[in-house]
Amino acid sequence: MKTHPLKIYDTTLRDGTQGEGISFSVTDKLLIVERLDQFGIDYIEGGFPGSNPRDITFFEEARKLKLRHALVAAFGSTRRAGVAAAKDVQLQVLLEAGTPVVTIVGKTWLLHVTEILRTTAEENLAMIEDSVRHLVAAGREVVYDAEHFFDGYKDDPEYALRTLAAAARGGAANLTMCDTNGGTLVEDLREIVARAVKEFGGERVGVHCHNDSGLGVAVSLAGVAAGASLVQGTMNGFGERTGNANLTTILPNLFLKMGREAACRPNLPQLRELSHYIDELANQRPDPKAPFIGASAFAHKGGLHANAAQKVARSYEHITPAAVGNHTRVLVSDLAGRSSIVMKARELGFHVDEHSPAVKNVLEELKRLEFEGYEFEAADASLKLLLARWLQKHTPAFELEGYRVIVECRGPEASAVAEATVKVKVKGKSMHTVAECIGPVSALDKALRLALERAYPAIKDTALSDYKVRILDSKRGANSRARVLIETSDGEDIWGTVGLSDNIIEASWEALRDAFEYKLLREEERGDAGNRKPDTA
Ligand SMILES: [Zn+2]
């Protein structure tokens, strides 16, 4: 079958924001548009200008952006029943958004036409055709989103195809079939898309899928295999209910497995970074299990497996991790032998000789710490610091002289507040700071930052992104121990650190200390690496 170059249509900023807990400010949305444009996404759906003032402001600002490739789309619906397209207020608002592309959604399913729109089958077809024609006449490229297409098709295939034909007659550049409820199975979708491709030509057909059956990616790929040439989806699968089809999974499959082409294909190695950027702005924690780009996507545990993966990466990895900007990770656990430690050390950037006594010592130290209850699988940064101390005699950027944390409740109606005092030696100078916060760990974090920021401004870029405590059963006495895992981010990278103590504040301190220490170690390494290339694609 002849294949067309694909068009990638991102709806993170419209359908994605329907997701629970996802919201973007106008500034966030503009930053995301620029980033998606740099990545090479073809269409960026910015929002629904008819729905709220925030989206109207967004479109005003988006017009000023100098995009090099992407076309921004405004989203809305067909004209109302019984109203001329030229008189329809919502279509007017869509044109005022001033985007090169307008996407309008219309009804496919007769059930919706009669029960929800309360109009006739014929009027619905006229609504689709008139609306598209009106927008095309105003110079817009129109993408027609056929809502509930697959359910509608199962109910009445001929009518469903007539709705697409109406949009085609109106001049729509693309007819996108939407699996709005996300319930369509792969084979059914493939068959229905193939029918539409036969009727209208693959270059004019698109798919928009949801993940309600856990098949969002699978049905999107099936749509492409059946001949569709435009794929809609969202970054990180944001979207209502279980989310939209996830572009961060769709794209590597299309390019690496199906051998397809699209404008963003050369930028695939930046996919992971793009995904993190979007999570950061959405205030979401990156999913470690995300296919291709998750932290665990190429993580290997256990000596034998890790060893084999090192020798022949292909033997345990379905793609080269670097193709999507990811990398192989060796998980160090007490099963690990010398070769795993050496591999891990190399992964973290150390030059080590497998037979050096330092490696033997560090392995012993690691086993001792793991026996005590430390766990480094989610704390690569603490592990790196440990290796730096043992293998390179790395000296910490600051030294603890003391800290104090007080939690106080000032009356029956008041909530408790915490105050932390920190004394550390920074570049030979003793710094003494105090900070107040709701929680004791936040107070400690704030006080330590105050102490470090002047000498190390890079600390300002970091923020605590996750904090977890696990109480370990004590096998050795009355006290149980607390293991604290902290995740820190600087917008570019995320790292994990660990602390362990009978005292939860002390365990938190250890993890916090490592979090900052790691950031400073990395800054130092970057400095040593000299001037890096500027960040251009
Ligand atoms: Zn949708």
Side-chain angles (χ1 to χ4, degrees):
M1 187 170 65
K2 188 172 151 272
T3 59
H4 312 279
L6 299 172
K7 296 284 184 194
I8 308 301
Y9 186 113
D10 180 282
T11 179
T12 307
L13 300 178
R14 201 272 305 170
D15 228 3
T17 60
Q18 303 297 312
E20 203 174 337
I22 306 292
S23 101
F24 296 114
S25 67
V26 170
T27 313
D28 292 340
K29 289 180 99 169
L30 294 165
L31 288 169
I32 291 173
V33 169
E34 286 184 307
R35 193 70 175 239
L36 292 172
D37 175 52
Q38 281 168 20
F39 186 75
I41 296 293
D42 302 287
Y43 295 93
I44 304 170
E45 195 172 85
F48 194 173
S51 69
N52 63 63
R54 193 197 276 185
D55 278 4
I56 292 177
T57 315
F58 162 78
F59 284 110
E60 278 168 17
E61 294 301 315
R63 281 203 292 274
K64 300 175 196 158
L65 296 177
K66 299 219 177 336
L67 303 181
R68 56 183 192 190
H69 173 78
L71 298 174
V72 172
F75 177 88
S77 56
T78 53
R79 69 164 171 82
R80 284 186 300 139
V83 177
K87 294 254 159 62
D88 189 273
V89 178
Q90 192 251 155
L91 289 180
Q92 193 50 39
V93 173
L94 277 175
L95 289 174
E96 281 163 11
T99 54
V101 178
V102 173
T103 298
I104 52 166
V105 62
K107 302 285 185 201
T108 310
W109 197 355
L110 276 171
L111 174 77
H112 279 254
V113 173
T114 53
E115 298 302 311
I116 295 169
L117 287 184
R118 297 191 179 276
T119 187
T120 63
E122 290 310 312
E123 171 64 359
N124 180 51
L125 297 176
M127 284 157 66
I128 297 169
E129 184 175 342
D130 293 355
S131 306
V132 175
R133 178 166 291 123
H134 179 68
L135 296 168
V136 170
R140 302 301 191 271
E141 179 178 337
V142 174
V143 174
Y144 174 68
D145 270 7
E147 194 186 35
H148 297 291
F149 188 84
F150 300 93
D151 300 303
Y153 185 96
K154 281 177 211 156
D155 187 46
D156 186 341
E158 292 318 311
Y159 185 73
L161 290 170
R162 284 177 71 201
T163 64
L164 293 186
R169 276 196 309 277
N174 185 276
L175 312 170
T176 286
M177 290 166 275
C178 305
D179 187 23
T180 312
N181 291 351
T184 305
L185 295 177
V186 176
E187 277 314 308
D188 294 345
L189 184 129
R190 186 202 297 269
E191 204 184 299
I192 296 170
V193 171
R195 173 84 197 272
V197 165
K198 209 170 127 204
E199 207 89 11
F200 303 100
E203 66 284 356
R204 211 176 180 185
V205 162
V207 284
H208 169 117
C209 303
H210 281 259
N211 198 37
D212 296 76
S213 308
L215 297 172
V217 170
V219 285
S220 302
L221 299 178
V224 170
S229 59
L230 180 144
V231 194
Q232 299 196 7
T234 62
M235 286 294 151
N236 302 331
F238 291 171
E240 60 189 321
R241 307 184 305 275
T242 57
N244 282 60
N246 189 344
L247 284 176
T248 67
T249 315
I250 290 175
L251 297 178
N253 278 308
L254 287 176
F255 302 148
L256 304 175
K257 307 283 176 87
M258 294 167 71
R260 300 300 301 260
E261 288 297 329
C264 61
R265 167 81 174 92
N267 296 327
L268 195 65
Q270 283 142 45
L271 184 67
R272 182 163 194 252
E273 209 183 307
L274 171 67
S275 158
H276 282 181
Y277 184 75
I278 307 264
D279 271 337
E280 184 80 14
L281 290 179
N283 205 10
Q284 299 288 307
R285 190 173 168 267
D287 176 9
K289 289 202 168 68
F292 296 98
I293 52 164
S296 304
F298 303 98
H300 303 282
K301 193 171 185 171
L304 191 67
H305 193 160
N307 206 351
Q310 171 86 345
K311 282 185 188 133
V312 191
R314 243 175 349 126
S315 66
Y316 286 97
E317 289 175 348
H318 68 127
I319 62 156
T320 308
V324 292
N326 211 342
H327 58 271
T328 302
R329 273 172 68 223
V330 178
L331 300 177
V332 176
S333 72
D334 53 2
L335 298 170
R338 187 185 277 245
S339 70
S340 289
I341 290 296
V342 169
M343 276 167 56
K344 185 73 196 178
R346 286 180 185 153
E347 177 202 319
L348 294 174
F350 298 97
H351 304 284
V352 288
D353 168 13
E354 181 156 3
H355 304 288
S356 77
V359 167
K360 186 170 166 267
N361 294 342
V362 85
L363 187 60
E364 269 166 25
E365 173 67 2
L366 206 62
K367 284 191 167 162
R368 185 186 69 76
L369 291 172
E370 289 197 324
F371 177 76
E372 275 188 37
Y374 281 88
E375 205 177 75
F376 292 97
E377 275 180 14
D380 260 6
S382 285
L383 181 65
K384 178 156 183 168
L385 291 169
L386 179 84
L387 294 175
R389 264 173 246 137
W390 283 74
L391 301 176
Q392 294 182 330
K393 314 229 176 324
H394 168 75
T395 48
F398 57 93
E399 221 176 289
L400 174 69
E401 293 188 321
Y403 63 78
R404 185 175 62 209
V405 180
I406 304 165
V407 179
E408 189 185 5
C409 181
R410 290 163 189 160
E413 303 298 322
S415 6
V417 285
E419 185 189 285
T421 312
V422 166
K423 228 170 137 183
V424 285
K425 196 173 247 173
V426 185
K427 295 186 175 170
K429 239 172 102 184
S430 210
M431 301 293 292
H432 193 176
T433 53
V434 60
E436 212 180 57
C437 239
I438 309 280
V441 178
S442 316
L444 199 56
D445 171 63
K446 213 164 148 187
L448 182 56
R449 280 168 187 281
L450 285 174
L452 299 178
E453 273 171 5
R454 188 176 300 176
Y456 304 112
I459 293 293
K460 289 190 186 132
D461 304 335
T462 64
L464 212 87
S465 53
D466 198 20
Y467 174 89
K468 273 193 228 101
V469 189
R470 164 68 68 81
I471 304 300
L472 308 178
D473 294 334
S474 175
K475 292 180 186 100
R476 63 193 97 201
N479 287 339
S480 53
R481 320 198 81 189
R483 181 171 62 219
V484 169
L485 281 170
I486 283 181
E487 219 177 66
T488 309
S489 149
D490 61 2
E492 208 177 291
D493 212 352
I494 299 167
W495 58 94
T497 52
V498 62
L500 179 87
S501 167
D502 295 344
N503 182 307
I504 194 168
I505 297 294
E506 189 175 34
S508 305
W509 163 266
E510 260 187 33
L512 273 177
R513 177 202 64 199
D514 278 9
F516 292 129
E517 184 67 47
Y518 177 79
K519 168 75 180 168
L520 298 174
L521 175 68
R522 235 188 23 176
E523 291 289 309
E524 200 182 300
E525 287 173 350
R526 286 196 174 177
D528 288 345
N531 289 330
R532 297 195 135 206
K533 277 189 296 179
D535 281 348
T536 49

